Structure formats: C-alpha cells, structure tokens
Amino acid sequence: MNKSYLNTLLTGAFLCLFTVISAKAQDVVIPVETKDNALVLQVTPDKLLNMVYFGSKLTDKNEYGSIAKMYNFSGTIGSYNNAYTSSGTRNLLEPAIAVTHADGNKSLDLKYVNHTVTKINDDVSLLSIKLKDSVYDFEVTLNYQTYYNEDVTEQWSVITHHEKKDVVLNKYASANLCIKAGGYWLKHYHGDWAQEMQPEEEALNHGIKTIDSKLGTRADLFEPPVFMVSLNKPAGEDEGEVMYGNLEWSGNFRIDFEVDPANNLRLIAGINNFAADYVLKPGVEFTTPKFVYTLSNKGKGEASRNLQSWARNYKIVDGNGPRLTLLNNWESTYFDFNEPKLAGLLKDTKKLGVDMFLLDDGWFGNKYPRNGDHAGLGDWQVNKAKLPNDIAYLVKEAKANDVKFGIWIEPEMVNPKSELYEKHPDWVIKQPQRPELYMRNQLVLDLTNPKVQDFVFGVVDDLFTKNPELAYIKWDCNSIIFNAYSAYEKNQSNFYTDYVFALYKVLDRVRAKYPKVPLMLCSGGGGRVDYGVLKYFTEYWPSDDTEPVERIFIQWENSYFYPALTSSNHVTDWGKQPIKFRVDVAMMGKLGFDIVIGKLKPDELAFCQNAVATYKQFSDEIWHGDQYRLQNPRENDVASIMYVNPAKTSAIMFNYLVSTRYHAGSSAIKLKGLNPDKMYTISELNVFPGRRSTIAEANYSGKFLMTVGVNPDVRDGRASVLIAVKETK
C-alpha cells in the first residue's frame, strides 16, 4: 500500500472510511496530523514503534520519514522514544506499561503488527495501532483520535491477553509521548479546599517529575490532572510553543515527566498504579482513560481556545447550548429552612430575574434528619418536618413564579448516622479491622458493588420520576477514600480503578435516561474536575472560596483548560467588596447568586437585576465565544479578560483591580480577537445606579483597539469595569 493512498485515508472526506495497513516494517511512517500540527510514529526494522516527531505540520508528508535520522533518540540502553515503553526487556527508563504474566514472568516486548485509520467525519479521525508481545499472547492497541480543526488529540490504550491464567497489570498508562526541544518548562497546580488551582512553573531537568493523586475520589483536592509544558522557553499568552494536557480520569492519576539522557522529554500519563495492580482475566479488554492534549506555537491563548472549542463541540453536555442563571439558598439558609422560607426565596428568584432556584443540602432524612452534616446523608426521603408537602410543592411554586427548580444531592456518600448505614454496612468503603476515618463526617459508598450503583442511580431517577419538571441537579462529592477496602471486590488491588469505572457506569445510565438535564459537578469545590467526568456534566464548581478577589485567580487558572460556560460562579457574601465587584466577577463564567435578596438595598437590587439582564444580553459571547486573556492578575494591578463572538461583531471585556497598592490601576489595555478592518463602538456596562461612567461611548477601528487599546479606568473606587465592544452599525 503506497503512501499517497495512506494520505488519502488520512485526509479524505468519506464517512467511516476504514482500512488496515500492514507493510514491511522499515516502510511504515505514520503521521498523525491536525490543522497545524503533526505527531509522527515510525516502525523500526525490528518492528519497534517509535515516536519521532511532535510539532508543526510539514508541507511535504514524504519528509516525515527523514526526521528520525536527524534526532538523537537511541542511547546506551534501548530506545528512548518508544511510543509505548514496556518494562523488563531492553528498556530501563520509566515504562508506560509493566505486567506480570500468568507464569510470573515480568518482561514485555511489544512489536508492531498493523494499524488502521478510520475517518469518523470531516473533522475527526481515529488511528489504531496494534502491538503484540514477541513471546506471550499479549496485545496493546494504541489509539490516537484527532480533531483536525481544533488541533486536539485524545490518546488511550486497549490492553488484552489470551494467556492461560490472569495477568497482573503493574502499570497501564494511557499515553507515552516523546518530545524533542531545547528545554522544557512545566506549569502545574496544587491546592486544598478553598485554595484550588495554585500555579507553579519550573524548568524540567534530568530525572523524573511526577504529579499525581492517591485520594481515590475527589482526587483533584491537592493536585489536578492538568498541566502545560512550554518548549524551548516559557511560553507567553500569544507567543511560544506550548502543550496542554488533561487526563480524562476522575480518580487516582499519575503523570510522569522524564528528561532522558539524550535530552528528550518523555511524558507518560495514566491511572496511578499506586496500590492498584490490576488483575486482568484472559480475553477481557482493559481500556485506559483518554489523555487529551493540544499543541500551539502561538502561546497559551491559542492552546486554551483549541481545548475550549474541542470541549464545547465534543465533550461537554450541550456545549453549544444555553445555561441557566440561578439563585441558591445555601449561604442564605444553610440547613435552617422550611416551606415558607423557601417559598419566599422562590419569589426572590423571580424578582432577581434569574432562571432557576436551587435547593441545596438539608432537605432529606427523617429518622436522622439532615439538620447538619453529621447525619442523614444516604437517606434520600424528603424531610417531613421541613417540607411536609414534598418536593412537588416547591416545583409547583417555582412554576407559579415562572422560574425553574433544581436540587442538591450527594449520592456517593453516607453518614454513619443514617438508616442506609444501619441497613447496609457492607456498602461502605472501610477497612474491617480498622477504625473509621471521616471527612465532613461521612464515608464513601462502594460503587464497585452493582447494588450500590443501582441505589445511586435510583436517587437521581426517583427525583425525576416524582418531579418530571425538575430542571437541574447539583451533584456533590465531599469525601476522599480512607482505609480503602471493598467488601464486594474480589481483587482489592482492582478497587481504586474499578471505583471510577463504576462511577462512570452510573453516570452513563443517568445520561442515557436524562440526556440534556443540566448537572453541576461539585466536589467540595474543585476537587473533581477533569474531562472524564465533565462529559456527563454541563458545568462544575471551581471552589468553595467565593471571595471575589480570590475567585478571580481561581477562575483565571481554570480558564486555561475549561470553557467559561462550564465555570459556575456565584455571588456570595464572602469578602468585603461591594455587590458590583462580586457580580462582575461572577459574570466571567456561568452566573449564579447565593445571597439574601431581601437584605439588598434598593439600588443594590436594581443593579443586580440590570446585571442579570446584561449578562443574558452577552451570554452567547461568554458561553460560546473565543476567550482572550489580556492582563494576568499575577503580573499586573488589573486583571483583564475578554470574550469575542465567532463573527467578531460583539465582545465583552472584564477588568478587575487586584492590587491594593497606592495608585494601582489601569492604563491602555490592548484588545484581541477583533477584525482590524471593522469599526467598533465601546461603552461601559454594569454601571451602578447613581454613578456615572467615566468611559465615553466612542467608535474605534479594530486595528486601533488591538494596537493602542482602551483604558477601562480601573482604580480605587472603580475596582471592576465591564466594557461592551459592538460592531458599529
């Protein structure tokens, strides 16, 4: 099969085009191309599959075959650039896969067999490469699914064997990349509750840097599975070569960054093999989670827009659809509420002008009423003392007020003080010989047990069955896994991995029956945010820290990886900033309120009502537009970010004062993403009642706004300023 035919397979417009390619090993060069980039794989004469290139796409595909001889990949020990490095034979570097065969042998030597290319549609193609051990009946299929226009690739592996007895997977990564550059700078994140997404950037030197989680669930609490690697020098917002990565997995993960002796960066991403040797039966396919990545040679901004566009088009539920604004009762009532109080909040929801009222924690439990976080979790009967007329009464009241109704659940968890715990102690994750350890006074249910999966799905299904007009669910997850042990799981080493697979099974059932209902992913803040679980949710909760200045930083860092419409931002009473500042910050993503509307002064209420109307006017730009970060809050007195619609006819610019230093404020800020040849009218939005804007409405060319800029006049007394940019008619 000649190369021109292979090129046709990769670029043709035929739907579901499929072929198998098996040629002389030395003839096989496999380019994986997107609009701007190429990842190139090559088979050696002894049938090893190597990665020889990752960078800008070449004009002449025939030249990909000349790359390997230009680079120094092979060293004194094996091949540094193997596409899926195995353990126990020639390789002595960090492996992507390590196994113990049925006979106890721990070696693996994967050789190329063939590859297939499937054209899914004009944008999406799937390359699958079959590898097989030279001695044992053990196979791995490497999958590379490319999204051509978005410059995004998802990579994963499928592992299977036909040995006589079980094989143990000691490590089983999703992806193994080898990158060649003059230097590498890793930006990754750490944090804790209310301190999510704290960035660190460091040069990668020889040896291994690992970011990982061992928490079981709520796995992102200390370290999320996202990162960026700059090549040759630290990338800027609009210049430099940078790769973004995100492991699509909601449990324990491990990402290794190894600079090898030949100065290549070997990147291995997958499920954490900590306490997780996986026992794999003969004939069973083990599919690893997907690792998604994008490469940009135009800086961090383009990489973000690549990933955000891909997420909206292919990953997020209803990613190109609308979102609901809401009023939540949590910080206004906590657990102390009843029907009359909630009925008043429903009227406030309509008065405010948002779309929906969200009832938070505390609505359930009778034998052990949920009047605090010590009891009731797991007993999903409506609390008759608080809500004698059931949830249906609130749904009806919401409809009477022309708003929708949503509700909070935490179905994966249980309080020891609950009927569920009393009836099913074997459903709880806990070591039988050790004392129970709690986080927020609760334990985690064992989702590997199918009966528990049925129960968790039933919590959701029962709510919708009894209340068909229920419009929204906030799904929380507040505890990590202590004393990991499953009364159901036969192989305890499979538990951490099977738990996440089981969670996805439940969510698959939810989405199969309720495909479009908005679900918010909450996990004590941003404790479980990744594209593995976001495929089931419309939005996530970045942090319980809603102090608006802190939230600017948290939302900013999340904006590198996730689209604005997925970031649930609520106006609360945290912090000392005025209501305008708090609302302006929350409008940077998916707007919600968590305040007592009745305590607002008349001018504050009027401002909030007008702000909701403004938000709805510009919601399409925020939710579906291209995002441009203009000034980083870590480097400037003023943070500035803007969203531009695809037609470049409308944009909204958010500006926030983040410094308290004397005379801190803004000067001219250059806009981005506009059409240089169009004329635009700029004006200030969200002006507080009784105040006058200092921004005169005026017309400027896109060229002027992107070359000279506009000064939003952010300073003490004008700490948040929103600017509308509209094509001049």
Side-chain angles (χ1 to χ4, degrees):
M1 188 170 292
N2 62 38
K3 293 178 183 176
S4 63
Y5 184 44
L6 175 59
N7 293 339
T8 301
L9 290 173
L10 291 170
T11 60
F14 296 106
L15 190 64
C16 297
L17 182 63
F18 179 83
T19 188
V20 178
I21 300 164
S22 182
K24 293 181 180 180
Q26 61 266 34
D27 295 335
V28 180
V29 176
I30 311 170
V32 184
E33 291 188 329
T34 58
K35 177 168 58 73
D36 296 316
N37 300 319
L39 182 154
V40 181
L41 304 163
Q42 188 165 359
V43 183
T44 67
D46 55 352
K47 295 188 178 181
L48 292 177
L49 180 69
N50 289 338
M51 179 174 171
V52 298
Y53 182 72
F54 185 43
S56 296
K57 183 166 64 176
L58 302 182
T59 303
D60 184 355
K61 291 182 173 62
N62 294 317
E63 292 187 328
Y64 289 129
S66 301
I67 292 176
K69 62 187 177 183
M70 300 297 176
Y71 288 159
N72 177 24
F73 287 120
S74 297
T76 56
I77 48 170
S79 177
Y80 295 155
N81 63 321
N82 196 260
Y84 197 67
T85 312
S86 55
S87 178
T89 53
R90 64 177 57 79
N91 171 64
L92 296 176
L93 298 176
E94 184 64 30
I97 184 168
V99 306
T100 303
H101 294 284
D103 63 2
N105 191 300
K106 298 182 75 68
S107 67
L108 192 63
D109 189 21
L110 295 172
K111 298 294 184 72
Y112 169 85
V113 178
N114 58 44
H115 68 277
T116 64
V117 179
T118 307
K119 188 80 172 176
I120 297 171
N121 58 42
D122 286 344
D123 189 38
V124 185
S125 295
L126 173 63
L127 165 68
S128 298
I129 305 175
K130 183 177 178 180
L131 307 175
K132 193 174 187 301
D133 186 76
S134 54
V135 175
Y136 291 89
D137 196 355
F138 186 99
E139 297 177 0
V140 176
T141 300
L142 303 183
N143 296 283
Y144 302 79
Q145 184 154 298
T146 54
Y147 301 83
Y148 186 86
N149 293 315
E150 292 78 12
D151 274 326
V152 166
T153 301
E154 285 184 300
Q155 187 174 340
W156 70 98
S157 58
V158 179
I159 304 167
T160 189
H161 74 92
H162 296 280
E163 300 184 27
K164 293 181 179 180
K165 295 182 180 179
D166 296 348
V167 167
V168 178
L169 306 181
N170 305 117
K171 190 174 183 182
Y172 35 101
S174 300
N176 182 178
L177 302 178
C178 182
I179 302 170
K180 170 70 71 173
Y184 313 96
W185 282 261
L186 171 68
K187 184 177 180 181
H188 60 106
Y189 297 86
H190 66 94
D192 203 335
W193 178 81
Q195 301 176 73
E196 291 86 350
M197 294 300 286
Q198 303 297 312
E200 289 183 352
E201 187 165 25
E202 59 190 283
L204 290 172
N205 298 310
H206 291 87
I208 298 180
K209 167 75 177 183
T210 298
I211 61 174
D212 73 342
S213 171
K214 303 179 181 72
L215 303 180
T217 186
R218 198 180 170 186
D220 298 8
L221 181 62
F222 300 143
E223 186 108 25
V226 297
F227 65 88
M228 60 182 79
V229 173
S230 297
L231 308 180
N232 301 308
K233 64 177 182 178
E237 189 66 27
D238 302 302
E239 55 83 29
E241 196 168 11
V242 62
M243 170 192 172
Y244 284 16
N246 184 321
L247 185 68
E248 300 180 34
W249 183 248
S250 308
N252 294 346
F253 65 88
R254 173 176 170 177
I255 306 173
D256 298 316
F257 305 86
E258 180 177 23
V259 179
D260 68 23
N263 302 316
N264 311 299
L265 175 62
R266 303 178 68 254
L267 193 160
I268 300 172
I271 296 171
N272 198 336
N273 56 330
F274 164 77
D277 288 341
Y278 199 88
V279 179
L280 186 64
K281 295 185 177 301
V284 175
E285 287 190 347
F286 181 92
T287 302
T288 68
K290 295 177 179 178
F291 173 60
V292 61
Y293 52 92
T294 186
L295 179 69
S296 167
N297 61 10
K298 297 177 183 175
K300 299 174 182 177
E302 182 182 72
S304 291
R305 290 186 290 277
N306 289 346
L307 207 53
Q308 292 163 2
S309 178
W310 165 81
R312 289 193 300 265
N313 290 334
Y314 296 104
K315 189 60 60 171
I316 304 298
V317 175
D318 200 18
N320 291 306
R323 293 296 185 265
L324 296 170
T325 56
L326 61 85
L327 176 66
N328 191 10
N329 73 300
W330 177 243
E331 293 196 17
S332 59
T333 68
Y334 294 100
F335 296 99
D336 182 19
F337 57 81
N338 54 29
E339 276 183 1
K341 188 178 287 189
L342 295 180
L345 291 174
L346 282 163
K347 290 181 172 59
D348 286 342
T349 306
K350 180 177 177 62
K351 181 189 298 184
L352 183 60
V354 294
D355 303 313
M356 185 187 69
F357 173 74
L358 172 61
L359 175 60
D360 215 291
D361 195 357
W363 56 269
F364 50 90
N366 288 298
K367 180 179 179 180
Y368 301 105
R370 184 70 168 175
N371 295 322
D373 63 12
H374 287 75
L377 197 58
D379 300 342
W380 298 101
Q381 324 94 15
V382 174
N383 182 283
K384 295 301 182 183
K386 293 180 182 180
L387 304 174
N389 295 300
D390 218 298
I391 298 299
Y393 166 79
L394 297 173
V395 176
K396 183 179 178 181
E397 281 293 297
K399 189 172 184 179
N401 282 279
D402 197 28
V403 296
K404 298 179 183 296
F405 182 82
I407 201 164
W408 178 98
I409 57 173
E410 192 177 1
E412 300 164 66
M413 304 291 164
V414 63
N415 286 129
K417 193 174 182 180
S418 67
E419 291 183 83
L420 180 67
Y421 184 90
E422 291 175 345
K423 293 176 182 177
H424 300 288
D426 59 321
W427 284 11
V428 179
I429 297 169
K430 58 177 182 175
Q431 287 279 357
Q433 304 301 322
R434 300 191 184 279
E436 294 176 354
L437 296 173
Y438 308 126
M439 188 170 188
R440 206 188 183 221
N441 308 299
Q442 64 194 50
L443 294 164
V444 183
L445 293 175
D446 181 7
L447 284 177
T448 66
N449 186 333
K451 292 180 180 178
V452 178
Q453 294 175 32
D454 291 342
F455 170 79
V456 173
F457 172 75
V459 172
V460 180
D461 193 39
D462 187 60
L463 281 167
F464 282 119
T465 301
K466 292 179 178 177
N467 308 282
E469 294 184 84
L470 184 66
Y472 184 98
I473 282 183
K474 177 182 177 181
W475 183 307
D476 213 341
C477 169
N478 282 295
S479 183
I480 61 177
I481 294 176
F482 295 109
N483 288 336
Y485 178 85
S486 166
Y488 175 82
E489 189 85 59
K490 290 184 174 61
N491 294 302
Q492 293 301 313
S493 62
N494 285 23
F495 167 71
Y496 276 126
T497 302
D498 283 348
Y499 176 88
V500 184
F501 286 143
L503 170 65
Y504 293 163
K505 284 182 181 178
V506 173
L507 292 170
D508 279 329
R509 291 173 66 183
V510 171
R511 277 306 177 200
K513 192 166 184 180
Y514 307 103
K516 288 295 183 88
V517 174
L519 302 180
M520 184 220 279
L521 174 63
C522 184
S523 192
R528 183 165 65 187
V529 185
D530 62 86
Y531 280 119
V533 73
L534 275 178
K535 67 183 272 190
Y536 303 104
F537 288 82
T538 50
E539 57 221 60
Y540 70 97
W541 182 239
S543 179
D544 281 347
D545 186 347
T546 54
E547 196 282 330
V549 174
E550 292 293 332
R551 256 309 185 109
I552 290 168
F553 288 84
I554 293 170
Q555 292 167 194
W556 184 277
E557 298 300 336
N558 275 294
S559 80
Y560 286 108
F561 304 97
Y562 303 110
L565 87 165
T566 63
S567 179
S568 291
N569 306 332
H570 289 187
V571 181
T572 74
D573 288 328
W574 280 45
K576 299 178 181 179
Q577 287 77 15
I579 189 72
K580 171 175 164 52
F581 190 93
R582 288 178 274 148
V583 171
D584 287 353
V585 170
M587 284 176 62
M588 185 175 150
K590 210 230 58 169
L591 177 64
F593 289 81
D594 208 329
I595 56 177
V596 182
I597 301 302
K599 291 184 179 180
L600 294 175
K601 298 175 183 176
D603 56 354
E604 292 176 329
L605 176 59
F607 169 79
C608 290
Q609 291 169 329
N610 291 332
V612 170
T614 298
Y615 180 77
K616 292 183 176 181
Q617 178 187 351
F618 284 89
S619 59
D620 195 52
E621 287 84 346
I622 299 168
W623 297 341
H624 309 124
D626 293 324
Q627 174 200 85
Y628 294 89
R629 288 177 293 268
L630 308 180
Q631 281 195 176
N632 192 320
R634 299 184 187 278
E635 301 168 0
N636 299 276
D637 293 342
V638 173
S640 185
I641 195 167
M642 70 183 290
Y643 302 91
V644 184
N645 71 353
K648 301 184 184 298
T649 59
S650 179
I652 183 169
M653 176 188 184
F654 296 88
N655 306 278
Y656 310 110
L657 184 67
V658 294
S659 172
T660 58
R661 297 192 67 184
Y662 182 63
H663 274 187
S666 66
S667 57
I669 298 174
K670 295 178 183 179
L671 278 58
K672 300 175 185 177
L674 303 176
N675 185 329
D677 299 322
K678 288 184 183 290
M679 292 297 297
Y680 295 93
T681 302
I682 67 162
S683 59
E684 184 172 354
L685 301 169
N686 278 16
V687 179
F688 196 82
R691 303 284 180 89
R692 294 181 61 184
S693 174
T694 63
I695 306 297
E697 184 173 308
N699 300 331
Y700 301 97
S701 68
K703 181 72 169 179
F704 178 92
L705 293 172
M706 293 190 292
T707 304
V708 178
V710 60
N711 186 350
D713 190 27
V714 176
R715 51 183 166 78
D716 189 27
R718 280 178 56 85
S720 62
V721 177
L722 273 57
I723 300 291
V725 183
K726 290 282 190 179
E727 183 181 3
T728 306
K729 299 298 185 181

